[in-house]
Amino acid sequence: MTLPERQLANAIRALAMDAVQAANSGHPGMPMGMADVATVLYSDYLKFDPTDPKWADRDRFVLSAGHGSMLAYATLHLSGYARPTIDDIRNFRQLHSPCAGHPENFELEGVETTTGPLGQGLATSVGMAIAERHLNAIYGDELVDHRTWVIAGDGCLMEGINHEAIGLAGHLQLGRLIVLWDDNKITIDGSTDLSTSEDVKARYAATGWHVESCDGHDPADIRRAIDAALADNRPSLIACRTIIGFGAPNKQGTSATHGSPLGGDEVAAARAELDWPHEPFVVPSDVASAWAAFGEKGKKLHAEWSGRLANHEKKKEFEDRVSGAVAPGDAFKAYLDGLVADPPKVATRKASENALTALTADIAALVGGSADLTGSNNTKTSSTKPLTKDDYSGRYVYYGIREFGMAAAMNGMALHGGVVPYGGTFLVFADYCRAAIRLSALQKQRVVYVMTHDSIGLGEDGPTHQPIEHLQSLRAMPNLLVMRPADAVETAECWAIALAQKERPSLLALTRQNLPPVRHDVTENLCAKGAYRLRAANASRRVVLVATGSEVSLALAVADQLEAAGQGADVVSMVSTELFDEQDAGYRADILPDDALLVSIEAGTTFGWERYTGRDGMRFGIDSFGASAPIEDLFKHFGLTADAIAPQILARLGS
Amino acid sequence: MTLPERQLANAIRALAMDAVQAANSGHPGMPMGMADVATVLYSDYLKFDPTDPKWADRDRFVLSAGHGSMLAYATLHLSGYARPTIDDIRNFRQLHSPCAGHPENFELEGVETTTGPLGQGLATSVGMAIAERHLNAIYGDELVDHRTWVIAGDGCLMEGINHEAIGLAGHLQLGRLIVLWDDNKITIDGSTDLSTSEDVKARYAATGWHVESCDGHDPADIRRAIDAALADNRPSLIACRTIIGFGAPNKQGTSATHGSPLGGDEVAAARAELDWPHEPFVVPSDVASAWAAFGEKGKKLHAEWSGRLANHEKKKEFEDRVSGAVAPGDAFKAYLDGLVADPPKVATRKASENALTALTADIAALVGGSADLTGSNNTKTSSTKPLTKDDYSGRYVYYGIREFGMAAAMNGMALHGGVVPYGGTFLVFADYCRAAIRLSALQKQRVVYVMTHDSIGLGEDGPTHQPIEHLQSLRAMPNLLVMRPADAVETAECWAIALAQKERPSLLALTRQNLPPVRHDVTENLCAKGAYRLRAANASRRVVLVATGSEVSLALAVADQLEAAGQGADVVSMVSTELFDEQDAGYRADILPDDALLVSIEAGTTFGWERYTGRDGMRFGIDSFGASAPIEDLFKHFGLTADAIAPQILARLGS
């Protein structure tokens, strides 16, 4: 290389400060601070082919400090990806530009994961690194042999999820995960001294990480540190000592460069300071050529890899795995048939285990786990031996008491591809991982959340463990498929639906308590319509009872009492409000007719059920926190029994 | 003491295993494992007066591993608290027993905080310790001089919030916080080896903690470790090496004792092993007497303290502080008057800062903070200098990038009493601290969440930062008061409402962008009714537009267009759905009449708005994720402009 390396890094700096200035919003400080590190990474280490951003054996690069998105856009542009173009960068943060305020994987192929919610990029990368080692254990170095690189800031390290993520990575000894920490000692509020006194490196070392430090503005020192990381079999943290906003002579090293444009004067001063006399958005040809050359090595490696794949005995299997195509097979079919032959009275968490036993036998890509509730979530099957540091071929991750870390890791596994992750915790602890569930939904990833103990039906553990608002609060989230099955057949159907969702996560809400079978045929996946008429009124229909999960059998009992009083009542199982809302108006009107009293029954908040009952319907649920008691006492206490509900409906009907 | 200390601990063990056995559910392992530690704590260290559980200068004891609730119930009972009685303990986990599955502070006075959601007890204790040092700085050792003790398990230490909590405690050098870690090497899934390889003590040391170890079954060694902790000015972690289920000869040391009754045979075997021949729920008189004596020392200390208080120059002020009575004063009144005289066009986050400037001048108990977004949340005022390890008298906490830790700490501050905490982050990051917000609500604590950047109105930061489902998902939570004011007057009113809530937390959703004034009178706090008619229809009323926050001014513009077309339209500002739902039926029917088309406008999900519009009304909002662009482009893109909305309403009206 004949150009000074600093000039290659300055291309990142200039694009960052110019794009932020043009948008009049954004974060120049991080890209300018980490430009030298990124340049070293792209020039000598990162394995990528800009002509095929989805090459299965590419290194994954995660910009966990997502506010520094211009670093990602600049490096993708400079290193030869088709997008972003320089015009995309000119339109940074404008409507329809792929260069969004934070990097969005659905906007740009070179962006491996959506980042911005702090800490999650790094936690997601742990899942990528797990998936890589898992597939490596199955397909070998010939096909799977790549690294996961992360740039993280102080925010990513201070967030609680960092502890969960690095604990998991250290425990699983994910040596191919390397985190480049932008150690600039500045947060939004000012110096890190305002809020932390932590010895970060000692903390990482305590959790089984290899730790290095380097001068983040000295390419040779950066290379030394990375080489040491490559030589170690533990995950590595490299503390890159940097100056935020490096090159902006009057503002660098201060939080003023973090989240605001530098201003015209300071941009001009930085141009002088950096010896970068070029117009905004202009990259001189020598710099552009040097950057473009970085991608050549990867193209060659990609070609060699393609050669190995072409001759590999597992070529077809590998390609299928990477494609993400999964389908229930013979074991699942046999299981469904058995449900008809011998309908079980089981908890839906147990029904989920039974379905999973078949599905994990059918589908090798399924990788399960639980946040230390394996026996409660019923997530482990005989097909899923533990995935450990000594055997990455396992298909069951003991995530530990790390709900958020689990969810983020599952996002990473799904994003990596080749595996379909599912994992369990109690529904109430959806609150602990909600921010990662949101990123599953935003990123359109097929992650399956197995959330058990889904109501007061869990009994004695009491209000801290009893979901009340959770179902509705999760249904409110865009692009998340919430399903609450009523028995073993519906649970199996929900699993089939979840695995068929290539562009959204699913969340299964499952009971602790046993439920009677309500469905006795499996000829059609009725849950796929979201809601369906489980039983039609016998007498002339006056009421439609809409229930979910454990309250479907309750609704049947209510209907019995109404019918006994001469009032016809349909019973509708509304497994998924989202799927129901997607049906055509005719179907929806048939299920929820205007001429009947519409009644919802769900052992959770009634908030939001007006969507289906209207203001004039009736809603039975729980609008307070729960209580600690045996299950039967609780359902009675909260008025969720047929004897409590039916008379109220009859009173409303005036009969 | 003439009795072997082990027998005093065995009283805890016996009550725990018997209560769990009687309830046929619960967690015997932790109380049996930590019984010796708890006995030492109560006998020699914990400052408490069982006859006055709310004595302001008592030590706080937090059972962070809340599943081991029988340890708390046993020690409270044995040490002389009025409740729980032995009958309460016999009714462990039954409806209406104060001995709930997990300790609930609203059930028993001796329970300092509701625990069970792992990690939060410890994180809450950090807030208690902050409040203690803060009040000590103001009122001196004579009135405030106590410690916060925590028993935590592996789950509490693995959860991400642990990192945030101990980072904050280490940074603030909360030396009066002592954590007794039940180091039993067992989690629900089995050995901790399954999921963690962490050197916990090294991690704590890395964050500024003093660390000790002891044999958790050797009282002398426990005392040695605690004495060392008392002598150190850093917060202390004591790793108490214990055997889970100690005393159950066939099950101890295994996860089998964690969350299930031991079974009749094993309970009998444990009785023999522990030399505890007494019937279930029977505590022999010598053991009972020894335990009862533990409280005597505290009674004496309490009496001495009462004497000091009686003669203290700040007696009245201190009692007022502890009572929790706060009221806006002259500065706030002057601020309100100024709003009428000169209505500002400001963002509601700025209006919140202005209100806080007055309120923090009026009310010394207000202690603010932000999770590293001070300048964005506008939470700091001239009255609130930083609270630091060198000056605990400060009233502003730089919480760092620790949303969850901040929220849990605020719970602890509120529970401690003497301070009224408020803290800020972006509304979208409510997801990061949602589990703690839930505990604010469940525990009925006056915590004020200042959540800014409350819609796509934040602009370019894009979908990861734009709340969509958050308002509704938070409104779905029981006992949380969500308020979204429309201008500076409403913001001030919401602050007054929030401070008046002695039994629930409040969450203020505030804009980044400027909003025009819509209210010009302050004679009555109209927000207190939740929703009110901001402008009545001019033409004959056909439509009621219901809007919140930044969309209220939009609704006014829509109304203008409707009126111009001859269609009368009321505009309702629905600041708080919870408060509105609490109004009588007549008021609600007057605001939302049946004879008008009901239309909601809110820049978030439409999910749930059917409660106010009915199925036949119209809902304008955003049912997908947001996008990165300037604010004006976004509102236009998502159809939230008067020009987009008014024609749809007119079309529906058939005019």
Side-chain angles (χ1 to χ4, degrees), chain B residues 627-642:
Chain B
S628 170
I631 176 173
E632 297 78 12
D633 295 347
L634 287 173
F635 274 88
K636 196 168 177 188
H637 176 71
F638 287 105
L640 294 176
T641 63

Side-chain angles (χ1 to χ4, degrees), chain A residues 93 160 164 171 197 461 611, chain B residues 93 160 164 171 197 461 610:
Chain A
R93 291 182 156 236
E164 301 186 15
H171 179 66
S197 307
D461 273 348
R611 173 163 289 187
Chain B
R93 291 182 157 237
E164 300 186 16
H171 179 65
S197 307
D461 272 347
E610 290 85 357

Side-chain angles (χ1 to χ4, degrees), chain B residues 31-353:
Chain B
M32 296 179 79
M34 284 294 279
D36 298 308
V37 173
T39 302
V40 168
L41 178 64
Y42 270 78
S43 69
D44 285 10
Y45 296 98
L46 192 71
K47 181 169 76 170
F48 69 101
D49 177 355
T51 65
D52 185 0
K54 295 295 182 197
W55 170 29
D57 198 33
R58 72 193 180 277
D59 282 1
R60 268 56 170 187
F61 170 66
V62 172
L63 187 71
S64 190
H67 53 272
S69 55
M70 268 311 304
L71 184 141
Y73 304 145
T75 51
L76 290 173
H77 172 70
L78 292 167
S79 62
Y81 287 78
R83 302 289 292 270
T85 64
I86 196 70
D87 279 341
D88 292 333
I89 291 177
R90 280 179 195 273
N91 286 317
F92 179 53
R93 291 182 157 237
Q94 306 307 302
L95 200 60
H96 306 307
S97 168
C99 295
H102 291 78
E104 315 289 359
N105 65 311
F106 45 89
E107 298 280 2
L108 275 177
E109 283 200 314
V111 172
E112 299 286 359
T113 177
T114 293
T115 52
L118 291 177
Q120 287 201 63
L122 198 162
T124 300
S125 75
V126 173
M128 295 177 179
I130 292 172
E132 192 272 344
R133 281 296 89 186
H134 176 66
L135 294 172
N136 172 273
I138 299 170
Y139 297 105
D141 290 345
E142 300 82 14
L143 299 186
V144 183
D145 182 21
H146 53 269
R147 299 183 185 280
T148 303
W149 304 86
V150 180
I151 288 184
D154 287 297
C156 296
L157 271 56
M158 285 179 77
E159 288 285 358
I161 191 173
N162 185 266
H163 170 52
E164 300 186 16
I166 72 168
L168 186 59
H171 179 65
L172 293 176
Q173 211 170 101
L174 300 173
R176 302 174 75 80
L177 173 63
I178 300 181
V179 175
L180 301 155
W181 167 33
D182 180 16
D183 180 17
N184 62 27
K185 305 206 183 297
I186 294 292
T187 72
I188 293 174
D189 274 0
S191 165
T192 52
D193 292 346
L194 281 174
S195 58
T196 184
S197 307
E198 176 188 326
D199 181 343
V200 170
K201 293 193 288 177
R203 177 169 67 86
Y204 270 69
T207 55
W209 283 56
H210 166 239
V211 180
E212 292 285 333
S213 296
C214 70
D215 176 347
H217 300 299
D218 177 349
D221 203 39
I222 296 165
R223 286 189 172 84
R224 178 200 51 73
I226 292 179
D227 288 339
L230 295 179
D232 200 285
N233 66 359
R234 295 167 292 176
S236 290
L237 174 77
I238 302 176
C240 305
R241 185 72 182 93
T242 63
I243 295 167
I244 190 170
F246 182 95
N250 306 299
K251 292 189 171 181
Q252 65 184 8
T254 74
S255 59
T257 68
H258 170 82
S260 305
L262 295 177
D265 291 348
E266 185 71 359
V267 167
R271 284 200 137 67
E273 175 83 7
L274 295 170
D275 189 21
W276 188 267
H278 321 292
E279 290 297 301
F281 303 108
V282 170
V283 179
S285 59
D286 55 347
V287 172
S289 299
W291 264 100
F294 295 167
E296 295 305 319
K297 194 169 47 187
K299 288 182 200 171
K300 183 163 170 290
L301 291 170
H302 186 181
E304 293 166 7
W305 179 89
S306 297
R308 292 197 298 276
L309 176 63
N311 300 309
H312 202 285
E313 60 177 8
K314 292 184 178 173
K315 175 174 188 290
K316 171 78 168 59
E317 179 190 321
F318 180 80
E319 288 176 337
D320 284 349
R321 279 295 284 269
V322 170
S323 78
V326 297
D330 292 343
F332 189 68
K333 176 74 172 60
Y335 170 65
L336 281 182
D337 291 342
L339 290 180
V340 177
D342 187 14
K345 180 178 179 176
V346 293
T348 48
R349 63 175 171 145
K350 181 66 182 175
S352 172
E353 178 188 335

Side-chain angles (χ1 to χ4, degrees), chain A residues 3-56:
Chain A
L3 272 173
E5 199 154 7
R6 174 60 49 82
Q7 280 301 85
L8 303 187
N10 287 345
I12 298 174
R13 293 189 170 96
L15 288 173
M17 68 182 186
D18 289 342
V20 171
Q21 195 64 30
N24 196 29
S25 95
H27 301 76
M30 197 285 256
M32 296 178 78
M34 284 295 279
D36 297 307
V37 173
T39 302
V40 168
L41 178 65
Y42 269 79
S43 70
D44 285 10
Y45 297 98
L46 192 72
K47 182 167 78 169
F48 68 100
D49 177 355
T51 64
D52 185 0
K54 293 296 180 196
W55 170 30

Side-chain angles (χ1 to χ4, degrees), chain A residues 309-646:
Chain A
L309 176 64
N311 298 311
H312 202 284
E313 59 178 6
K314 292 184 176 173
K315 175 174 187 290
K316 171 77 168 61
E317 180 190 321
F318 180 81
E319 288 176 338
D320 284 349
R321 282 293 286 270
V322 171
S323 78
V326 298
D330 293 342
F332 188 69
K333 177 74 171 60
Y335 169 66
L336 280 181
D337 291 342
L339 290 180
V340 177
D342 187 12
K345 180 178 179 177
V346 293
T348 48
R349 62 175 172 144
K350 180 67 181 174
S352 173
E353 178 186 336
N354 294 341
L356 273 172
T357 297
L359 290 167
T360 53
D362 282 340
I363 303 169
L366 279 168
V367 175
S370 167
D372 197 48
L373 290 168
T374 294
S376 299
N377 302 142
N378 298 62
T379 34
K380 194 167 185 313
T381 74
S382 54
S383 298
T384 57
K385 66 177 177 179
L387 186 157
T388 69
K389 69 180 165 59
D390 300 315
D391 182 5
Y392 292 115
S393 75
R395 291 168 57 193
Y396 194 82
V397 181
Y398 286 105
Y399 284 106
I401 302 148
R402 303 182 181 108
E403 298 84 5
F404 196 3
M406 172 178 74
M410 292 201 293
N411 283 339
M413 293 160 80
L415 285 159
H416 181 279
V419 297
V420 176
Y422 70 89
T425 186
F426 289 160
L427 179 57
V428 79
F429 298 136
D431 284 350
Y432 273 67
C433 49
R434 188 175 172 96
I437 297 174
R438 191 173 205 256
L439 280 187
S440 308
L442 177 60
Q443 297 187 87
K444 303 178 184 174
Q445 293 303 302
R446 181 175 47 192
V447 172
V448 186
Y449 293 93
V450 181
M451 299 297 203
T452 70
H453 297 56
D454 70 347
S455 76
I456 56 165
L458 64 84
E460 293 87 348
D461 273 348
T464 54
H465 284 56
Q466 290 163 355
I468 296 292
E469 70 279 21
H470 298 75
L471 285 164
Q472 291 293 60
S473 76
L474 289 160
R475 288 174 182 139
M477 190 183 285
N479 202 41
L480 171 65
L481 191 54
V482 176
M483 293 182 277
R484 189 166 188 245
D487 71 357
V489 169
E490 283 199 356
T491 305
E493 290 181 345
C494 289
W495 264 110
I497 293 166
L499 296 180
Q501 306 299 314
K502 292 200 70 169
E503 297 220 329
R504 59 179 159 186
S506 296
L507 186 148
L508 305 182
L510 304 172
T511 66
R512 176 188 186 215
Q513 73 271 27
N514 285 343
L515 300 180
V518 298
R519 275 279 299 287
H520 300 277
D521 68 288
V522 295
T523 49
E524 182 187 354
N525 187 329
L526 296 175
C527 291
K529 293 200 163 171
Y532 65 94
R533 189 175 296 116
L534 176 65
R535 185 205 283 175
N538 186 14
S540 175
R541 182 174 68 194
R542 301 285 309 281
V543 179
V544 174
L545 301 169
V546 182
T548 76
S550 49
E551 284 69 69
V552 171
S553 49
L554 171 58
L556 290 168
V558 173
D560 288 343
Q561 293 199 15
L562 298 178
E563 296 277 357
Q567 305 294 342
D570 282 1
V571 174
V572 168
S573 176
M574 188 169 275
V575 182
S576 166
T577 57
E578 292 91 351
L579 290 175
F580 180 69
D581 290 350
E582 290 168 13
Q583 305 305 309
D584 62 44
Y587 182 80
R588 285 184 282 125
D590 178 57
I591 298 298
L592 300 180
D594 283 332
D595 62 357
L597 174 66
L598 301 173
V599 178
S600 67
I601 311 178
E602 183 170 76
T605 183
T606 63
F607 179 91
W609 273 103
E610 290 86 355
R611 173 163 289 187
Y612 305 104
T613 67
R615 295 171 84 199
D616 296 330
M618 299 180 80
R619 290 156 298 283
F620 294 92
I622 306 171
D623 288 319
S624 64
F625 289 107
S628 171
I631 175 172
E632 297 78 12
D633 294 346
L634 287 173
F635 274 89
K636 197 168 174 188
H637 176 71
F638 287 106
L640 294 176
T641 64
D643 288 344
I645 293 172

